[in-house]
Amino acid sequence: MASIPMVRGASAPNVLRRVSTFFYRHPNLSLALTLSLPLLWLGVIYLGSLVALLTQSFFYLDGFTGLVKREFTLRTYQELFTQANIDIMVRTVVMAAAVTVSCALLAFPLAYYMARYASYRVKGLLYLGVMLPLWSSYLVRVYSWKLILAQEGLFNWVIQQLGLTWLLNWLLGLPVIGGSSLSFSFLGLYIVFVYIWLPYMILPVNAALERVPKSVIEASSDLGARPGYTFRRIILPLAFPGVVAGSIFTFSLTLGDFIIPGIFGNSAYFIGQAVYSQQGSAGNIPLAAAFTVIPIVIMTIYLTTAKRLGAFEAL
Amino acid sequence: MVMTTNRAPLGLKLATIGGLVFLHFPILVIFLYAFTTEEASFTFPPPGLTLNWFPVTFSRSDFWDALRLSLGVAAVATIIALVLGTLTAGAVYRSNFFGREAISLLVILPLALPGIVTGIALRSAINLGNIEFSFWTIVVGHATFCIVTVYNNVIARLRRTARSQIEASMDLGASTFQTFRYVVLPNIATALLAGGMLAFALSFDEIIVTTFTAGQQQTLPIWIFSQLVRPRDRPVTNVAAIFVIATTLLPILLAYRFTRDSGE
């Protein structure tokens, strides 16, 4: 701990001292001052933008003139709940759920090893190993899978060497998840999503596991629990908020992404792509806005549940 | 920290190694393809290797412009996030005021909601306000979702810091500012660094919100994205990617050393 130079403290300028005392005596005022800047930013800029967006969703695009009519109507929402759009929502939510579950399953062993078994040095290296992909450009990492999954690329080459081409062809022949090649199918899309968001799951799960007191684990084994039992009844429940915290990222990031499905998907849209194309080429900002209400509603429910499960403490 | 006496099961070790390989080998693939002589497709194994793509990339001014813009935006967004995130964390930690829960939710919202929501919300605000796209429209978007990373790191550290330390400092006659400078700041320094690192990384990588707030400007991710649709000169993208990875590696290694030295 650095020593605190008391001598310098004694000669502090009088004005500063008086300001300090004033704030100390008026905690509410100093709190308001501390919060004013963040609140101004998040409350006015961010929430203001969200309100602007929601307002737009109650306008509608006049099909004849191609102009947005600025009057209150629910017409855009009627347009939103057509079968094609509902398909888009279901597809996106199912993908986000599958990606989240897979990320949790893949992240847990790594996070667990880091927290429980790795030595100080190895832990640092593993932490670096997880942070590094998080740092490297998102787009570069997405693109690397285009190289890997391409018809003439690395993945198919490995499959060929292993003599498993029949298995891959069978998988690609399956309805819905299959496609012409891995780089144009839901299967490939799913692999890329899992790869990209995995570090976002590892870090909070690891943070939660690090916080499991060693004494609790020791107590459990002292009381006669086998390692497996301790894991299921002590470690897993205590780590669960971390998994939920990580799932906020994996779920939400999958829900709103339009880059990855744009590069790997087929013509079947995801919510992000629908929003992007509605506001862009179609110029239908009301429908794009209404579309974004879907992820907002889903994430609000998700966050409320997560908060109840104590996930925010594990972030 | 005491070493655990029991050793990791073999399966767990293998799963850990597998996870690490999964996280890293795609980056190695990019390295390999930066040297390929094949410029239009992704043939594996590459037909031949060449160093030619490096000078080709470095001679392109659009690459340097994009890099400069991304670094500038990330730096400014990180500074804003550090200030706003620390202020919020301090306020939430110190007092139990009305609406505290709402604020901790509000901070996480820009990251918890899909990026496209933040993006299109800012875009509609920019449209309604007739604001021109600039460096600052990108920064505003980035800082908004970066606040949470700083906030999370700082509040976690504050919760672990004994409140008695701050009280002791005040009792010994230090003013609020001195207490912050000599007691609070040294305690949260590495948390600030970690939060700042994450904020910088988030901003440097971001493409979804940026698409809506950049207008015609190209940050590095947008530049790379625009390169992806060009079938020729594909290895140029790979070289740029290597460059990005190499330049981000240095700050992480420094930050890692720094947090280790401080006994984190």
Side-chain angles (χ1 to χ4, degrees), chain A residues 8-9 17 20 30-31 38 41 113 116 129 132 134 136-137 139 143-144 147 152 154 157 195 252 272 307 315, chain B residues 4 16 22-24 26 42 44 88 94-95 101 108 111-112 116 144 173 176 178 182 205 221 225 228 238 249:
Chain A
R8 215 188 302 170
R17 163 75 57 181
S20 160
S30 68
L31 180 72
W41 191 285
Y113 183 86
R116 194 95 201 269
L132 208 58
L134 201 73
S136 339
S137 168
L139 204 63
Y143 167 62
S144 74
L147 299 175
E152 71 279 10
L154 173 66
W157 183 79
Y195 169 73
S252 162
K307 190 147 185 74
L315 271 174
Chain B
T4 11
T16 305
F22 179 59
L23 281 177
H24 287 272
F42 306 124
F44 187 89
T88 318
R94 217 181 46 178
S95 26
E101 295 284 293
I108 196 180
L111 205 64
I116 196 161
T144 303
T176 314
Q178 285 168 324
Y182 294 112
D205 268 5
F225 191 57
L228 287 190
N238 301 336
L249 189 65

Side-chain angles (χ1 to χ4, degrees), chain A residues 1 4-6 8-10 12 16-17 19-21 23-24 27 30-31 34-35 37-39 41-43 45-47 49-50 52-53 56 70 106 109-110 112-113 115-121 123-126 128-141 143-148 150 152-154 157 191 194-195 198-200 202 214 248-249 252 255-259 263 271-273 275-276 279 285 288-289 292 295-296 299-300 303 307 312-313 315, chain B residues 1-4 6-9 12-13 15-16 19-20 22-27 29-30 33 41-45 80 83-84 87-88 91 94-95 97 101 103-118 120-125 127-128 139-140 143-144 147 152 159 165 170 172-178 182-183 187 197-198 200-202 204-205 207-208 211-212 221-222 224-225 228 234 237-238 241 244-245 248-249 251-253 256 260 263-264:
Chain A
M1 179 97 208
I4 302 159
M6 290 308 295
R8 215 188 302 170
L16 266 186
R17 163 75 57 181
V19 171
S20 160
T21 313
F23 281 135
Y24 187 79
S30 68
L31 180 72
T34 320
L35 273 176
L37 224 54
L39 272 186
W41 191 285
L42 288 170
I45 298 181
Y46 184 63
L47 285 185
S49 301
L50 280 180
L53 177 72
Q56 297 250 21
R70 294 196 172 183
L106 278 174
L110 223 169
Y112 186 59
Y113 183 86
R116 194 95 201 269
Y117 295 104
S119 65
Y120 181 65
R121 228 181 79 85
K123 189 185 284 191
L125 288 176
L126 286 174
L128 208 58
V130 176
M131 289 296 286
L132 208 58
L134 201 73
W135 266 77
S136 339
S137 168
Y138 153 84
L139 204 63
V140 168
R141 296 191 306 132
Y143 167 62
S144 74
W145 281 90
K146 199 74 187 169
L147 299 175
I148 294 165
E152 71 279 10
L154 173 66
W157 183 79
I191 295 172
V194 169
Y195 169 73
L198 184 59
Y200 289 90
I202 296 174
K214 193 157 280 171
I248 294 173
F249 293 109
S252 162
L255 219 50
D257 196 285
F258 61 89
I259 304 281
I263 296 178
I271 290 179
Q273 289 168 291
V275 173
Y276 186 69
Q279 68 87 36
I285 293 189
T292 55
I296 292 177
M299 283 319 292
T300 308
L303 283 174
K307 190 147 185 74
F312 287 1
E313 311 301 315
L315 271 174
Chain B
M1 177 114 193
V2 191
M3 278 270 297
T4 11
N6 48 350
R7 297 183 40 160
L12 184 63
K13 260 188 194 165
T16 305
L20 273 185
F22 179 59
L23 281 177
H24 287 272
F25 90 93
I27 298 172
V29 171
I30 294 226
Y33 274 94
S41 83
F42 306 124
T43 315
F44 187 89
I80 295 175
V83 173
L84 296 181
L87 284 175
T88 318
R94 217 181 46 178
S95 26
F97 56 92
E101 295 284 293
I103 285 183
S104 58
L105 196 67
L106 181 61
V107 169
I108 196 180
L109 209 57
L111 205 64
L113 283 180
I116 196 161
V117 176
T118 309
I120 198 168
L122 289 169
R123 172 67 159 257
S124 52
N127 275 353
L128 286 177
V139 167
V140 165
T144 303
I147 295 174
N152 276 336
R159 283 192 183 128
Q165 274 187 27
M170 304 286 267
L172 290 168
S175 72
T176 314
F177 303 111
Q178 285 168 324
Y182 294 112
V183 178
N187 264 311
M197 261 170 57
L198 260 172
F200 192 93
L202 265 180
F204 196 74
D205 268 5
I207 181 164
I208 292 188
T211 315
F212 294 97
I222 293 182
I224 292 175
F225 191 57
L228 287 190
R234 271 196 167 129
T237 318
N238 301 336
V244 171
I245 292 166
T248 49
L249 189 65
I252 315 179
L253 290 174
Y256 170 65
R260 225 163 64 128
E264 265 285 281

Side-chain angles (χ1 to χ4, degrees), chain B residues 28-247:
Chain B
L28 296 178
V29 171
I30 294 226
F31 271 73
L32 177 68
Y33 274 94
F35 298 98
T36 185
T37 48
E38 170 68 65
E39 58 186 81
S41 83
F42 306 124
T43 315
F44 187 89
L49 299 174
T50 171
L51 280 170
N52 210 11
W53 299 109
F54 285 81
V56 172
T57 309
F58 294 152
S59 65
R60 294 200 22 191
S61 63
D62 52 342
F63 164 71
W64 292 108
D65 289 344
L67 180 64
R68 216 169 296 135
L69 180 64
S70 274
L71 286 175
V73 167
V76 177
T78 303
I79 292 167
I80 295 175
L82 280 172
V83 173
L84 296 181
T86 312
L87 284 175
T88 318
V92 168
Y93 167 74
R94 217 181 46 178
S95 26
N96 219 333
F97 56 92
F98 175 75
R100 201 179 103 150
E101 295 284 293
I103 285 183
S104 58
L105 196 67
L106 181 61
V107 169
I108 196 180
L109 209 57
L111 205 64
L113 283 180
I116 196 161
V117 176
T118 309
I120 198 168
L122 289 169
R123 172 67 159 257
S124 52
I126 289 169
N127 275 353
L128 286 177
N130 284 328
I131 303 160
E132 257 184 65
F133 294 111
S134 69
F135 177 81
W136 293 103
T137 52
I138 308 178
V139 167
V140 165
H142 284 199
T144 303
F145 60 73
C146 284
I147 295 174
V148 63
T149 64
V150 177
Y151 168 82
N152 276 336
N153 274 282
V154 173
I155 194 116
R157 180 64 56 83
L158 283 174
R159 283 192 183 128
R160 259 181 287 155
T161 309
R163 221 176 259 262
S164 54
Q165 274 187 27
I166 296 165
E167 283 161 7
S169 161
M170 304 286 267
D171 285 348
L172 290 168
S175 72
T176 314
F177 303 111
Q178 285 168 324
T179 306
F180 181 78
R181 168 73 184 79
Y182 294 112
V183 178
V184 179
L185 204 57
N187 264 311
I188 64 169
T190 48
L192 280 176
L193 186 81
M197 261 170 57
L198 260 172
F200 192 93
L202 265 180
S203 166
F204 196 74
D205 268 5
E206 221 289 329
I207 181 164
I208 292 188
V209 176
T210 320
T211 315
F212 294 97
T213 57
Q216 296 300 312
Q217 306 165 88
Q218 285 200 325
T219 60
L220 199 57
I222 293 182
W223 182 82
I224 292 175
F225 191 57
S226 74
Q227 289 291 307
L228 287 190
V229 290
R230 291 167 57 151
R232 290 236 147 222
D233 275 6
R234 271 196 167 129
V236 166
T237 318
N238 301 336
V239 172
I242 289 188
F243 200 70
V244 171
I245 292 166
T247 40

